[in-house]
Amino acid sequence: MSPERAEQIAILALSWLGQNEELFPVFLGASGANADELREQAENPAFLAAVLDFLTMDDTWVVEFCDVHHLKYEEPLTARYALPGAEAVHWT
């Protein structure tokens, strides 16, 4: 997946989170961002990677997001790996 497509999916995820009354405050708390910063951060690939990190923490969220946007369930994680920071993942 291209970084551009990954960013598109992450922006969709950010928008989806912003419309979710339960998850949006959780995301803001986890990311340390505030609602005013989101527009400027939406162009930051590292922030978009954090959006996908958050989304992919829960399979239920992934399914709901993908169903709304007609994406394959593996696409958010594939997109995450196309953005900065994924190369530093260590499972030890």
Side-chain angles (χ1 to χ4, degrees), residues 32-89:
N34 65 50
D36 296 331
E37 295 173 322
L38 293 183
R39 283 193 187 103
E40 67 185 53
Q41 289 295 328
E43 296 182 16
N44 178 346
F47 180 77
L48 294 175
V51 169
L52 293 174
D53 282 337
F54 180 82
L55 175 70
T56 58
M57 288 187 339
D58 189 301
D59 289 344
T60 302
W61 303 343
V62 171
V63 169
E64 289 175 16
F65 166 72
C66 289
D67 286 351
V68 167
H69 292 287
H70 309 289
L71 298 170
K72 295 177 184 175
Y73 296 140
E74 65 271 8
E75 285 187 89
L77 188 58
T78 302
R80 172 58 192 104
Y81 288 134
L83 294 173
E87 66 280 353
V89 173

Side-chain angles (χ1 to χ4, degrees), residues 14-38:
L14 181 59
S15 175
W16 179 82
L17 287 168
Q19 296 172 16
N20 188 311
E21 293 178 12
E22 290 181 26
L23 280 181
F24 189 58
V26 177
F27 170 72
L28 290 177
S31 69
N34 65 50
D36 296 331
E37 295 173 322
L38 293 183

